[in-house]
Amino acid sequence: DPLTRQFFEISFSEDRSWSIGGCLKRCVLSVMLYANLLYAQPQRFIWLPVIWSGSDRLKKGAWSFKLLYATVWPACVLGHVLVRSEQFASLERNQTWVGTLGTLAHRLYLNFVVGLSKTCSPDVRPRDWSKTYFRKVLVEQGAFVPPLIGKYQIAIKHFDWTGELNSKDLVIKPEYGGKGKGDCYLSFGQDFRTKQDVEEKLSNHMKQHDSLTKAGSMLILERIMPNKDFGLHVVMIITGKTKEGHVCVLHVNMNSGGQVAGQVSSHGCKDMYLLDPISEIIVGEDQWSTKPETEKTDPNFIGRRMPIVNGACALAVKTHRALIAQDPKALQFIGWDCMMAEDGSIVFFEGNPCGVRLVRCMCNSWASMRAFARTFF
Protein backbone atom coordinates (compact mmCIF):
# COMPACT_ATOMS: atom_id res chain seq x y z
CA ASP A 1 0.00 0.00 0.00
CA PRO A 2 1.58 3.33 -1.08
CA LEU A 3 -0.01 5.20 1.83
CA THR A 4 1.38 2.72 4.36
CA ARG A 5 4.84 3.14 2.87
CA GLN A 6 4.47 6.94 2.84
CA PHE A 7 3.53 7.18 6.51
CA PHE A 8 6.30 4.79 7.55
CA GLU A 9 8.95 6.74 5.63
CA ILE A 10 7.75 9.95 7.28
CA SER A 11 7.92 8.38 10.74
CA PHE A 12 11.36 6.90 10.06
CA SER A 13 12.78 10.25 8.93
CA GLU A 14 11.39 12.28 11.82
CA ASP A 15 13.48 13.68 14.66
CA ARG A 16 12.12 11.80 17.67
CA SER A 17 14.29 13.53 20.27
CA TRP A 18 12.86 15.60 23.09
CA SER A 19 15.07 18.67 22.74
CA ILE A 20 13.65 22.13 23.39
CA GLY A 21 13.50 22.73 19.65
CA GLY A 22 11.76 19.41 19.08
CA CYS A 23 9.13 20.14 21.71
CA LEU A 24 8.51 23.64 20.42
CA LYS A 25 8.20 22.33 16.86
CA ARG A 26 5.52 19.82 17.89
CA CYS A 27 3.60 22.50 19.74
CA VAL A 28 3.59 24.81 16.70
CA LEU A 29 2.65 21.96 14.34
CA SER A 30 -0.25 20.90 16.56
CA VAL A 31 -1.66 24.43 16.35
CA MET A 32 -1.20 24.41 12.56
CA LEU A 33 -2.89 21.03 12.33
CA TYR A 34 -5.84 22.30 14.34
CA ALA A 35 -6.16 25.28 11.98
CA ASN A 36 -6.13 22.90 8.99
CA LEU A 37 -8.80 20.64 10.47
CA LEU A 38 -10.92 23.59 11.56
CA TYR A 39 -10.87 24.88 7.98
CA ALA A 40 -11.65 21.44 6.50
CA GLN A 41 -14.45 20.47 8.92
CA PRO A 42 -15.45 23.49 11.03
CA GLN A 43 -18.60 21.87 12.42
CA ARG A 44 -16.50 19.03 13.83
CA PHE A 45 -13.58 20.97 15.32
CA ILE A 46 -14.80 24.46 16.24
CA TRP A 47 -15.69 23.61 19.84
CA LEU A 48 -12.62 21.49 20.50
CA PRO A 49 -10.67 23.95 22.72
CA VAL A 50 -13.73 24.41 24.95
CA ILE A 51 -14.86 20.80 25.15
CA TRP A 52 -11.40 19.34 25.77
CA SER A 53 -9.89 22.13 27.84
CA GLY A 54 -8.95 21.72 31.48
CA SER A 55 -9.09 18.42 33.32
CA ASP A 56 -11.14 15.41 32.25
CA ARG A 57 -12.29 15.24 35.86
CA LEU A 58 -13.99 18.63 35.75
CA LYS A 59 -17.70 18.51 36.38
CA LYS A 60 -19.92 19.08 33.35
CA GLY A 61 -21.04 22.42 34.72
CA ALA A 62 -17.57 23.93 34.97
CA TRP A 63 -17.91 25.86 31.72
CA SER A 64 -16.55 29.09 33.19
CA PHE A 65 -13.15 27.48 33.71
CA LYS A 66 -13.30 25.77 30.33
CA LEU A 67 -14.10 29.01 28.52
CA LEU A 68 -11.29 30.80 30.34
CA TYR A 69 -8.82 28.07 29.48
CA ALA A 70 -9.98 27.96 25.85
CA THR A 71 -8.75 31.54 25.44
CA VAL A 72 -5.32 31.02 27.00
CA TRP A 73 -4.30 27.46 26.09
CA PRO A 74 -1.63 28.58 23.56
CA ALA A 75 0.27 30.11 26.48
CA CYS A 76 0.61 26.60 27.91
CA VAL A 77 2.84 25.66 24.98
CA LEU A 78 5.91 27.11 26.71
CA GLY A 79 5.19 25.10 29.84
CA HIS A 80 4.97 22.00 27.69
CA VAL A 81 8.30 22.81 26.06
CA LEU A 82 10.04 23.39 29.38
CA VAL A 83 8.74 20.32 31.16
CA ARG A 84 8.96 17.76 28.38
CA SER A 85 12.38 18.74 27.06
CA GLU A 86 15.35 16.75 28.33
CA GLN A 87 17.10 19.86 29.62
CA PHE A 88 14.29 20.79 31.99
CA ALA A 89 13.15 17.34 33.10
CA SER A 90 15.16 17.67 36.32
CA LEU A 91 13.03 20.65 37.35
CA GLU A 92 10.00 18.40 37.50
CA ARG A 93 11.81 15.55 39.23
CA ASN A 94 13.20 17.89 41.91
CA GLN A 95 9.74 19.41 42.44
CA THR A 96 10.88 23.00 42.07
CA TRP A 97 8.21 25.64 41.66
CA VAL A 98 9.20 26.07 38.03
CA GLY A 99 8.82 22.35 37.48
CA THR A 100 5.46 22.30 39.26
CA LEU A 101 4.05 25.16 37.19
CA GLY A 102 5.51 23.63 34.05
CA THR A 103 3.91 20.28 34.84
CA LEU A 104 0.53 21.93 35.24
CA ALA A 105 0.93 23.81 31.99
CA HIS A 106 2.04 20.66 30.21
CA ARG A 107 -0.99 18.72 31.41
CA LEU A 108 -3.31 21.46 30.18
CA TYR A 109 -1.57 21.55 26.81
CA LEU A 110 -1.51 17.76 26.57
CA ASN A 111 -5.24 17.71 27.25
CA PHE A 112 -5.73 19.85 24.14
CA VAL A 113 -3.54 17.60 21.98
CA VAL A 114 -5.32 14.48 23.19
CA GLY A 115 -8.61 16.28 22.57
CA LEU A 116 -7.47 16.95 19.02
CA SER A 117 -6.64 13.26 18.62
CA LYS A 118 -9.96 12.12 20.08
CA THR A 119 -11.91 14.59 17.95
CA CYS A 120 -10.20 13.06 14.91
CA SER A 121 -11.24 9.61 16.17
CA PRO A 122 -14.34 10.03 18.35
CA ASP A 123 -15.87 7.07 20.18
CA VAL A 124 -19.39 7.96 19.11
CA ARG A 125 -21.08 4.95 20.69
CA PRO A 126 -20.37 3.14 23.97
CA ARG A 127 -19.81 -0.13 22.12
CA ASP A 128 -16.69 1.36 20.52
CA TRP A 129 -14.93 1.00 23.87
CA SER A 130 -16.10 -2.56 24.44
CA LYS A 131 -13.48 -5.31 24.36
CA THR A 132 -16.26 -7.80 23.57
CA TYR A 133 -17.24 -5.81 20.48
CA PHE A 134 -13.71 -5.76 19.07
CA ARG A 135 -13.03 -9.39 20.02
CA LYS A 136 -16.18 -10.44 18.12
CA VAL A 137 -15.32 -8.64 14.89
CA LEU A 138 -11.70 -9.82 15.03
CA VAL A 139 -12.81 -13.46 15.30
CA GLU A 140 -15.25 -12.95 12.41
CA GLN A 141 -12.30 -11.91 10.23
CA GLY A 142 -10.21 -14.94 11.16
CA ALA A 143 -8.09 -13.53 13.99
CA PHE A 144 -7.27 -15.49 17.14
CA VAL A 145 -8.07 -13.86 20.48
CA PRO A 146 -7.51 -15.23 24.01
CA PRO A 147 -10.38 -17.62 24.85
CA LEU A 148 -13.13 -16.27 27.10
CA ILE A 149 -13.53 -18.44 30.21
CA GLY A 150 -16.18 -16.39 31.95
CA LYS A 151 -17.57 -12.98 32.74
CA TYR A 152 -18.31 -11.21 36.02
CA GLN A 153 -21.34 -8.89 35.91
CA ILE A 154 -20.35 -6.06 38.22
CA ALA A 155 -23.77 -4.49 38.80
CA ILE A 156 -25.42 -7.72 39.97
CA LYS A 157 -22.22 -9.38 41.27
CA HIS A 158 -22.80 -12.50 39.21
CA PHE A 159 -20.34 -14.89 37.51
CA ASP A 160 -21.18 -16.37 34.09
CA TRP A 161 -18.78 -19.21 33.30
CA THR A 162 -18.56 -20.11 29.61
CA GLY A 163 -15.51 -22.40 29.61
CA GLU A 164 -13.24 -24.58 31.71
CA LEU A 165 -10.05 -23.50 33.47
CA ASN A 166 -7.81 -26.13 31.82
CA SER A 167 -4.90 -25.52 34.21
CA LYS A 168 -4.03 -22.26 32.43
CA ASP A 169 -3.17 -18.87 33.92
CA LEU A 170 -5.83 -16.18 33.68
CA VAL A 171 -5.94 -12.47 32.92
CA ILE A 172 -9.07 -10.59 33.99
CA LYS A 173 -9.79 -7.26 32.29
CA PRO A 174 -12.56 -4.63 32.50
CA GLU A 175 -14.95 -4.72 29.54
CA TYR A 176 -14.68 -0.95 29.25
CA GLY A 177 -11.28 0.44 30.13
CA GLY A 178 -7.71 0.80 29.04
CA LYS A 179 -4.03 1.22 29.97
CA GLY A 180 -4.17 -1.88 32.17
CA LYS A 181 -6.18 -0.12 34.87
CA GLY A 182 -8.03 -2.69 36.95
CA ASP A 183 -6.44 -5.72 35.27
CA CYS A 184 -5.93 -8.82 37.40
CA TYR A 185 -3.48 -11.69 36.72
CA LEU A 186 -3.91 -15.10 38.33
CA SER A 187 -1.47 -18.03 38.14
CA PHE A 188 -2.87 -21.55 38.16
CA GLY A 189 -1.66 -23.54 41.14
CA GLN A 190 -0.46 -20.45 42.94
CA ASP A 191 -3.47 -18.09 42.96
CA PHE A 192 -6.26 -20.52 42.11
CA ARG A 193 -7.19 -24.09 41.27
CA THR A 194 -10.98 -23.94 41.04
CA LYS A 195 -13.60 -21.51 39.80
CA GLN A 196 -14.49 -20.80 43.40
CA ASP A 197 -10.89 -19.65 43.99
CA VAL A 198 -11.14 -17.31 40.99
CA GLU A 199 -14.42 -15.86 42.24
CA GLU A 200 -12.90 -15.20 45.66
CA LYS A 201 -9.77 -13.59 44.21
CA LEU A 202 -11.74 -11.38 41.84
CA SER A 203 -14.19 -10.32 44.56
CA ASN A 204 -11.26 -9.17 46.71
CA HIS A 205 -9.75 -7.42 43.67
CA MET A 206 -13.00 -5.53 43.06
CA LYS A 207 -13.05 -4.27 46.65
CA GLN A 208 -9.62 -2.71 46.11
CA HIS A 209 -10.62 -0.96 42.86
CA ASP A 210 -13.72 1.18 43.37
CA SER A 211 -13.38 2.70 39.89
CA LEU A 212 -14.27 -0.66 38.31
CA THR A 213 -17.93 -0.19 39.17
CA LYS A 214 -18.25 1.68 35.83
CA ALA A 215 -16.53 -1.06 33.82
CA GLY A 216 -19.78 -2.97 33.11
CA SER A 217 -18.24 -6.40 33.53
CA MET A 218 -14.91 -8.16 33.94
CA LEU A 219 -13.77 -10.55 31.21
CA ILE A 220 -12.04 -13.72 32.49
CA LEU A 221 -9.61 -14.75 29.75
CA GLU A 222 -7.10 -17.53 29.27
CA ARG A 223 -3.64 -16.01 29.38
CA ILE A 224 -1.56 -16.54 26.23
CA MET A 225 2.19 -16.35 26.80
CA PRO A 226 4.47 -14.36 24.47
CA ASN A 227 7.19 -15.77 22.23
CA LYS A 228 10.41 -16.25 24.20
CA ASP A 229 12.58 -14.75 21.44
CA PHE A 230 10.96 -11.37 22.01
CA GLY A 231 9.90 -11.76 25.63
CA LEU A 232 7.12 -9.61 26.99
CA HIS A 233 5.86 -7.37 24.18
CA VAL A 234 2.87 -5.87 22.43
CA VAL A 235 2.73 -4.81 18.78
CA MET A 236 0.50 -1.78 18.26
CA ILE A 237 -0.96 -1.02 14.83
CA ILE A 238 -2.90 2.11 13.85
CA THR A 239 -5.24 1.89 10.87
CA GLY A 240 -7.15 4.81 9.40
CA LYS A 241 -9.88 5.44 6.85
CA THR A 242 -8.99 8.12 4.30
CA LYS A 243 -11.49 10.72 3.12
CA GLU A 244 -11.97 8.55 0.00
CA GLY A 245 -12.85 5.51 2.16
CA HIS A 246 -9.58 3.59 1.75
CA VAL A 247 -8.15 1.85 4.85
CA CYS A 248 -4.38 1.93 5.38
CA VAL A 249 -1.80 1.37 8.12
CA LEU A 250 -0.48 4.62 9.60
CA HIS A 251 1.94 3.37 12.21
CA VAL A 252 3.35 0.17 13.71
CA ASN A 253 5.43 0.02 16.88
CA MET A 254 6.31 -2.44 19.61
CA ASN A 255 6.65 -2.12 23.36
CA SER A 256 8.73 -4.63 25.28
CA GLY A 257 9.97 -5.30 28.81
CA GLY A 258 8.13 -4.52 32.04
CA GLN A 259 6.21 -5.67 35.09
CA VAL A 260 3.08 -4.43 36.80
CA ALA A 261 2.29 -5.28 40.45
CA GLY A 262 4.48 -8.35 40.39
CA GLN A 263 2.67 -9.82 37.37
CA VAL A 264 4.18 -9.57 33.92
CA SER A 265 2.05 -7.27 31.75
CA SER A 266 2.59 -5.43 28.51
CA HIS A 267 1.23 -2.30 30.17
CA GLY A 268 4.49 -2.11 32.12
CA CYS A 269 6.59 -2.08 28.95
CA LYS A 270 8.90 0.94 28.72
CA ASP A 271 10.94 0.17 25.59
CA MET A 272 9.32 1.40 22.40
CA TYR A 273 10.47 0.52 18.89
CA LEU A 274 9.42 1.62 15.41
CA LEU A 275 8.66 -1.21 12.95
CA ASP A 276 8.62 -1.23 9.17
CA PRO A 277 5.18 -2.64 8.23
CA ILE A 278 6.57 -3.88 4.88
CA SER A 279 9.88 -5.55 5.81
CA GLU A 280 8.85 -6.31 9.44
CA ILE A 281 12.22 -4.97 10.62
CA ILE A 282 12.65 -3.09 13.92
CA VAL A 283 14.27 0.01 12.46
CA GLY A 284 14.87 2.12 15.57
CA GLU A 285 13.41 3.78 18.63
CA ASP A 286 9.88 5.07 18.52
CA GLN A 287 8.62 8.06 20.42
CA TRP A 288 6.34 8.03 23.42
CA SER A 289 3.44 10.39 22.79
CA THR A 290 3.74 12.34 26.01
CA LYS A 291 7.09 11.73 27.66
CA PRO A 292 10.75 11.04 26.75
CA GLU A 293 11.36 7.41 27.73
CA THR A 294 12.88 6.12 24.50
CA GLU A 295 16.38 6.23 26.01
CA LYS A 296 15.53 2.93 27.72
CA THR A 297 15.41 0.94 24.49
CA ASP A 298 17.73 -2.04 23.94
CA PRO A 299 20.05 -1.49 20.93
CA ASN A 300 20.19 -5.26 20.40
CA PHE A 301 16.57 -5.16 19.23
CA ILE A 302 17.36 -2.79 16.34
CA GLY A 303 17.59 -4.67 13.05
CA ARG A 304 15.66 -7.73 14.22
CA ARG A 305 12.61 -8.96 12.31
CA MET A 306 9.21 -9.33 13.97
CA PRO A 307 7.65 -12.00 11.72
CA ILE A 308 3.98 -11.38 12.56
CA VAL A 309 3.85 -7.77 11.36
CA ASN A 310 2.66 -8.37 7.77
CA GLY A 311 -0.04 -10.81 8.83
CA ALA A 312 -1.17 -8.65 11.75
CA CYS A 313 -1.38 -5.52 9.58
CA ALA A 314 -3.40 -7.40 6.95
CA LEU A 315 -5.84 -8.64 9.62
CA ALA A 316 -6.13 -5.17 11.15
CA VAL A 317 -6.92 -3.57 7.77
CA LYS A 318 -9.35 -6.38 6.88
CA THR A 319 -11.20 -6.00 10.18
CA HIS A 320 -11.35 -2.21 9.91
CA ARG A 321 -12.81 -2.53 6.39
CA ALA A 322 -15.39 -5.02 7.67
CA LEU A 323 -16.43 -2.62 10.42
CA ILE A 324 -16.91 0.19 7.91
CA ALA A 325 -18.91 -2.11 5.62
CA GLN A 326 -21.20 -2.98 8.53
CA ASP A 327 -21.47 0.59 9.76
CA PRO A 328 -20.23 3.63 7.77
CA LYS A 329 -20.01 5.56 11.07
CA ALA A 330 -17.44 3.16 12.50
CA LEU A 331 -14.29 4.67 13.96
CA GLN A 332 -12.09 6.43 11.41
CA PHE A 333 -8.93 5.47 13.32
CA ILE A 334 -8.41 2.27 15.31
CA GLY A 335 -5.48 1.13 17.41
CA TRP A 336 -4.96 -2.66 17.39
CA ASP A 337 -2.98 -4.56 20.05
CA CYS A 338 -1.44 -7.94 19.27
CA MET A 339 1.61 -10.10 19.99
CA MET A 340 3.51 -13.17 18.80
CA ALA A 341 2.62 -16.24 20.87
CA GLU A 342 5.00 -18.99 21.98
CA ASP A 343 4.30 -21.00 18.81
CA GLY A 344 4.87 -17.99 16.53
CA SER A 345 1.18 -17.35 15.80
CA ILE A 346 -0.57 -13.97 15.93
CA VAL A 347 -2.70 -13.21 18.99
CA PHE A 348 -4.95 -10.14 18.89
CA PHE A 349 -6.06 -8.67 22.19
CA GLU A 350 -8.44 -5.91 21.14
CA GLY A 351 -9.03 -2.76 19.16
CA ASN A 352 -9.28 0.73 20.65
CA PRO A 353 -10.25 4.25 19.75
CA CYS A 354 -6.80 5.70 19.20
CA GLY A 355 -6.82 8.39 21.88
CA VAL A 356 -3.26 9.35 22.79
CA ARG A 357 -1.48 6.97 20.41
CA LEU A 358 -2.74 8.84 17.32
CA VAL A 359 -0.63 11.82 18.42
CA ARG A 360 2.44 9.98 17.05
CA CYS A 361 1.07 10.28 13.52
CA MET A 362 -0.33 13.81 13.60
CA CYS A 363 2.24 16.51 14.24
CA ASN A 364 5.77 15.24 14.87
CA SER A 365 6.97 16.93 11.68
CA TRP A 366 5.76 19.19 8.92
CA ALA A 367 5.54 16.17 6.60
CA SER A 368 3.41 14.11 9.01
CA MET A 369 1.10 17.03 9.79
CA ARG A 370 0.58 17.79 6.10
CA ALA A 371 0.08 14.12 5.12
CA PHE A 372 -2.32 13.49 8.01
CA ALA A 373 -4.51 16.51 7.23
CA ARG A 374 -4.56 15.94 3.46
CA THR A 375 -5.11 12.18 3.59
CA PHE A 376 -7.86 11.96 6.18
CA PHE A 377 -9.63 15.34 6.12
Side-chain angles (χ1 to χ4, degrees):
D1 188 322
L3 282 176
T4 297
R5 170 56 62 184
Q6 176 191 5
F7 278 103
F8 164 72
E9 290 178 349
I10 290 173
S11 295
F12 182 64
S13 63
E14 288 175 337
D15 174 18
R16 293 187 289 277
S17 68
W18 285 86
S19 63
I20 293 179
C23 290
L24 182 59
K25 175 189 69 177
R26 295 181 191 99
C27 293
V28 172
L29 288 172
S30 68
V31 176
M32 295 176 66
L33 176 62
Y34 175 54
N36 270 274
L37 300 182
L38 184 62
Y39 176 79
Q41 298 185 11
Q43 73 282 0
R44 181 172 177 179
F45 289 95
I46 192 167
W47 294 108
L48 184 146
V50 176
I51 295 173
W52 287 102
S53 59
S55 169
D56 291 335
R57 296 182 177 86
L58 283 176
K59 295 181 180 179
K60 294 181 179 180
W63 286 103
S64 58
F65 179 82
K66 286 180 175 289
L67 287 170
L68 173 64
Y69 172 66
T71 63
V72 301
W73 71 261
C76 297
V77 167
L78 289 180
H80 169 75
V81 173
L82 292 178
V83 170
R84 291 300 100 181
S85 64
E86 295 159 352
Q87 288 88 338
F88 288 88
S90 61
L91 296 176
E92 182 184 25
R93 287 196 298 268
N94 296 332
Q95 297 183 342
T96 66
W97 67 271
V98 176
T100 301
L101 291 178
T103 300
L104 175 61
H106 161 69
R107 292 188 184 281
L108 292 174
Y109 169 76
L110 175 61
N111 209 83
F112 169 78
V113 178
V114 173
L116 182 61
S117 172
K118 289 186 176 181
T119 307
C120 290
S121 184
D123 47 308
V124 293
R125 292 174 300 278
R127 77 176 189 189
D128 290 331
W129 281 105
S130 167
K131 290 179 174 61
T132 298
Y133 172 65
F134 277 111
R135 283 168 52 86
K136 177 177 179 292
V137 295
L138 280 164
V139 170
E140 289 173 351
Q141 299 307 312
F144 174 79
V145 299
L148 179 69
I149 307 299
K151 183 181 289 189
Y152 175 66
Q153 304 290 342
I154 297 175
I156 59 176
K157 299 182 178 181
H158 177 70
F159 285 88
D160 293 320
W161 291 99
T162 58
E164 299 301 321
L165 297 179
N166 296 325
S167 304
K168 298 291 183 66
D169 293 350
L170 300 177
V171 55
I172 305 175
K173 303 176 73 69
E175 173 116 25
Y176 294 91
K179 301 180 181 179
K181 296 180 179 178
D183 290 0
C184 178
Y185 294 83
L186 300 178
S187 299
F188 183 82
Q190 180 178 345
D191 298 315
F192 73 96
R193 288 189 177 275
T194 66
K195 291 180 179 179
Q196 184 178 359
D197 294 338
V198 176
E199 293 178 2
E200 183 179 347
K201 287 284 186 179
L202 183 54
S203 297
N204 292 334
H205 179 77
M206 297 297 296
K207 293 176 182 178
Q208 299 171 12
H209 296 81
D210 295 337
S211 60
L212 291 177
T213 55
K214 299 179 180 179
S217 61
M218 300 291 288
L219 304 182
I220 305 172
L221 307 169
E222 179 182 317
R223 186 175 181 186
I224 308 298
M225 301 307 293
N227 188 276
K228 294 180 180 179
D229 290 339
F230 287 90
L232 176 65
H233 68 276
V234 57
V235 175
M236 298 185 291
I237 302 167
I238 298 178
T239 57
K241 181 184 72 172
T242 69
K243 55 188 176 184
E244 291 83 16
H246 175 69
V247 177
C248 67
V249 174
L250 279 77
H251 196 79
V252 183
N253 61 13
M254 180 181 76
N255 283 16
S256 70
Q259 274 197 329
V260 173
Q263 295 287 350
V264 180
S265 165
S266 63
H267 291 287
C269 294
K270 296 300 181 183
D271 301 352
M272 183 173 287
Y273 305 91
L274 179 67
L275 283 84
D276 182 344
I278 309 300
S279 70
E280 304 183 319
I281 299 297
I282 301 172
V283 296
E285 299 175 344
D286 198 15
Q287 183 189 66
W288 282 81
S289 304
T290 59
K291 51 190 174 182
E293 293 197 19
T294 48
E295 73 274 7
K296 296 181 180 179
T297 52
D298 182 354
N300 293 325
F301 266 72
I302 310 302
R304 295 182 63 184
R305 176 173 170 263
M306 168 54 77
I308 68 165
V309 170
N310 286 164
C313 287
L315 271 171
V317 169
K318 180 182 178 182
T319 306
H320 199 161
R321 286 174 179 164
L323 288 173
I324 294 170
Q326 295 173 14
D327 183 0
K329 293 184 179 180
L331 289 168
Q332 184 176 5
F333 302 97
I334 300 177
W336 307 93
D337 295 341
C338 61
M339 77 169 188
M340 183 165 68
E342 288 181 299
D343 61 359
S345 62
I346 304 170
V347 179
F348 268 87
F349 299 117
E350 61 199 28
N352 302 278
C354 279
V356 176
R357 68 178 72 181
L358 189 61
V359 174
R360 299 189 189 103
C361 311
M362 298 195 311
C363 49
N364 266 339
S365 67
W366 168 260
S368 64
M369 186 273 291
R370 188 181 182 194
F372 183 82
R374 289 189 172 188
T375 303
F376 298 104
F377 298 94

